[in-house]
Amino acid sequence: MAAPVDLGLNEAFTELQAKVIDTQQKVKLADIQIEQLNRTKKHANLTEIMTLVDETNMYEGVGRMFILQSKEVINSQLLEKQKIAEEKIKELQQKKSYLEWSVKEAEGNI
């Protein structure tokens, strides 16, 4: 009688452990992605094109070639990169907080 109950508990415990490990890996991945997006955002913010004259033409790197662009185009692209990075960071932080809550819930069930 006790063996089937123990087997069921053992399966549930193993399943919860797998869920906790998987969720912890997802949290670590989210941390890495947030860090990478913060670097991208910082890089876009650090470029010093604002000190240049407005009529200055600049080269944008595309793959293995460069394209001549105006300062306004380059600046708008950098601002767009910053905005996209901020949005993705917010999404990842929400996902991370949910995953952390999920880990705590699963550990509580163990």
Side-chain angles (χ1 to χ4, degrees):
M1 265 302 200
V5 175
D6 291 338
L7 182 62
L9 287 174
N10 192 18
E11 287 179 18
F13 184 72
T14 305
E15 183 179 316
L16 284 172
Q17 277 184 326
K19 181 179 179 184
V20 167
I21 291 170
D22 183 48
T23 307
Q24 288 173 342
Q25 288 174 347
K26 288 180 182 178
V27 168
K28 288 179 185 178
L29 180 64
D31 282 337
I32 291 169
Q33 289 175 339
I34 288 171
E35 186 178 315
Q36 183 180 19
L37 287 169
N38 278 330
R39 272 191 246 119
T40 302
K41 183 177 145 187
K42 191 174 186 179
H43 174 67
N45 192 24
L46 287 178
T47 37
E48 300 176 2
I49 64 170
M50 300 308 288
T51 59
L52 300 173
V53 181
D54 287 338
E55 295 82 29
T56 304
N57 286 327
M58 307 171 80
Y59 287 98
E60 175 188 7
V62 180
R64 292 175 28 180
M65 66 180 186
F66 296 94
I67 299 175
L68 187 62
Q69 299 279 0
S70 66
K71 177 185 169 189
E72 294 84 23
V73 172
I74 300 289
N75 191 29
S76 66
Q77 288 175 351
L78 290 173
L79 292 175
E80 185 67 24
K81 280 183 184 179
Q82 284 180 335
K83 189 173 115 179
I84 290 170
E86 288 173 2
E87 292 171 0
K88 287 184 180 180
I89 288 171
K90 287 179 184 178
E91 290 174 9
L92 286 170
Q93 286 174 340
Q94 289 175 350
K95 180 180 175 183
K96 180 183 166 188
S97 65
Y98 171 75
L99 289 171
E100 288 172 344
W101 173 82
S102 177
V103 166
K104 288 179 184 176
E105 190 72 26
E107 287 175 347
N109 290 338
I110 290 177

